[in-house]
Amino acid sequence: IASESYGGHYMPQLTMEILNRNTDNYINFKGFLVGNPYVDPFSNTLTQFQAFYDHGLVAKPLYDAWVENCSDRNHYNVVTCEELKDEIFDKWGDRINKYALDYPVCKESHSSSRMKWLPSSQILRLMELVGTPVLSDKDIYHPCEVSHLIEYLNRNDVQKALHSKPGIKWTICAKGVINYHKDGLPRTHLYRELVEMGTEGKHSLNMLIYSGDDDSVCSTAGTQEWIYDLGVEAGENLLWKPWKANEQTAGFVTHFDLGDSADATFTFVTVHGAGHEVPAYRPVEALQMFKIFLRGEW
């Protein structure tokens, strides 16, 4: 099973549910992978603004103020931090893609079709929902893919062909269809429990966390914050090894040591130059990563 973004919450929950109910091994459950997962809200936010600063998107005085008021989990100044966020984002306008900091945004206007100028191809609210972009057949990113997809899925002839309910307006992660109760709490404990079950030999799952390193919303740095809090260490000579696609370095892979009793694996992979939804930004590398995982080489 696999997911991305907010799947960082429900993917380990679904995994636990399958493990707990699959007492007769009716399901041949092999593992899960989750990309740029939303797991710990605080480390997400903290490393997001670090990414902004490292990409030259925030002035030093503003970033220093952010670090002073917003970098301590136990002394987070909500009012000041929200004001600093607003000031930073106001300076940007709507032409920075937070989900892929080095990628262009869609510049098409869709006012006639109930759509505003898109702040990114995902047209998502910051750190709330996940989109599902159309994959390109080449490793080329098209910033308006999702806007075109939305237009297409709202055509009467398309909805008729899909046997959709009349009068339904298709949107990404539409509210009212699936409603999540977001409590702002981290879900690190779910991964820790799965890893512990692996070290104790209670399951033989292959667990892969992957991360596009151009995303700020669920950044690579934020993911590493909670991964290295799970109580496992990288295996000997297995820390941050380059992996390749098309003879180019596609990112780095770390294999964690779950102990001699383990028949499970836990692996962290980065995809260099990919944004929040890795297959949308680096489809060639994403497919290569997926094949390697399915072959059991990671």
Side-chain angles (χ1 to χ4, degrees):
I1 57 177
S3 188
E4 296 179 305
S5 195
Y6 198 71
H9 273 48
Y10 60 75
M11 194 52 44
Q13 292 172 344
L14 178 57
T15 297
M16 293 294 296
E17 193 72 10
I18 294 173
L19 290 175
N20 291 334
R21 293 177 179 265
N22 193 33
T23 54
D24 58 357
N25 293 319
Y26 179 78
I27 300 175
N28 185 20
F29 190 30
K30 292 296 187 180
F32 71 88
L33 61 161
V34 60
N36 290 76
Y38 183 70
V39 176
D40 178 13
F42 181 79
S43 64
N44 256 43
T45 303
L46 179 63
T47 56
Q48 181 181 49
F49 282 84
Q50 290 174 350
F52 294 161
Y53 183 70
D54 291 341
H55 277 74
L57 299 174
V58 180
K60 188 175 186 301
L62 277 176
Y63 182 67
D64 289 345
W66 168 264
V67 171
E68 180 180 352
N69 292 279
C70 312
S71 60
D72 188 335
R73 190 186 296 263
N74 298 315
H75 299 91
Y76 186 86
N77 189 325
V78 176
V79 174
T80 301
C81 293
E82 289 303 312
E83 290 176 349
L84 286 169
K85 284 183 186 179
D86 290 342
E87 185 173 358
I88 289 170
F89 295 150
D90 285 346
K91 290 182 181 299
W92 285 5
D94 60 358
R95 292 296 184 267
I96 298 293
N97 185 350
K98 303 179 187 73
Y99 294 87
L101 292 175
D102 295 302
Y103 283 76
V105 300
C106 182
K107 298 186 292 183
E108 296 179 6
S109 176
H110 295 265
S111 57
S112 61
S113 59
R114 307 175 304 279
M115 295 183 64
K116 299 178 180 179
W117 284 78
L118 306 182
S120 74
S121 68
Q122 288 81 1
I123 61 165
L124 306 176
R125 292 177 296 279
L126 181 63
M127 292 193 300
E128 286 188 356
L129 303 172
V130 189
T132 312
V134 177
L135 296 183
S136 308
D137 58 356
K138 297 181 180 179
D139 204 358
I140 300 173
Y141 176 67
H142 301 284
C144 295
E145 279 182 341
V146 171
S147 65
H148 297 162
L149 175 64
I150 292 173
E151 292 292 307
Y152 178 73
L153 291 176
N154 279 300
R155 279 171 36 179
N156 290 333
D157 60 331
V158 173
Q159 293 191 350
K160 183 178 180 180
L162 293 174
H163 304 285
S164 301
K165 292 181 180 180
I168 295 295
K169 183 177 74 173
W170 193 91
T171 60
I172 293 178
C173 298
K175 289 187 176 180
V177 178
I178 300 176
N179 289 312
Y180 294 112
H181 172 67
K182 292 176 287 186
D183 54 19
L185 298 175
R187 291 294 180 266
T188 313
H189 65 282
L190 295 172
Y191 294 90
R192 185 179 296 111
E193 187 173 350
L194 287 168
V195 166
E196 288 175 353
M197 291 172 65
T199 60
E200 294 168 2
K202 293 182 178 179
H203 67 66
S204 57
L205 296 184
N206 297 307
M207 300 172 282
L208 175 68
I209 313 298
Y210 66 91
S211 180
D213 65 12
D214 203 42
D215 180 25
S216 73
V217 175
C218 297
S219 72
T220 300
T223 298
Q224 291 197 82
E225 283 286 329
W226 62 263
I227 279 183
Y228 285 94
D229 194 34
L230 297 179
V232 289
E233 301 293 335
E236 186 175 359
N237 296 321
L238 296 176
L239 174 67
W240 213 253
K241 297 292 185 179
W243 66 281
K244 293 183 178 180
N246 289 341
E247 301 303 318
Q248 299 288 335
T249 296
F252 299 89
V253 56
T254 297
H255 301 279
F256 289 87
D257 184 4
L258 301 187
D260 296 335
S261 300
D263 191 27
T265 64
F266 185 72
T267 307
F268 176 58
V269 176
T270 70
V271 183
H272 185 49
H276 189 62
E277 292 96 346
V278 168
Y281 296 94
R282 285 286 189 264
V284 172
E285 290 81 354
L287 180 59
Q288 176 73 359
M289 175 188 70
F290 192 47
K291 287 180 177 178
I292 294 172
F293 179 66
L294 291 183
R295 289 198 298 260
E297 297 175 15
W298 283 344

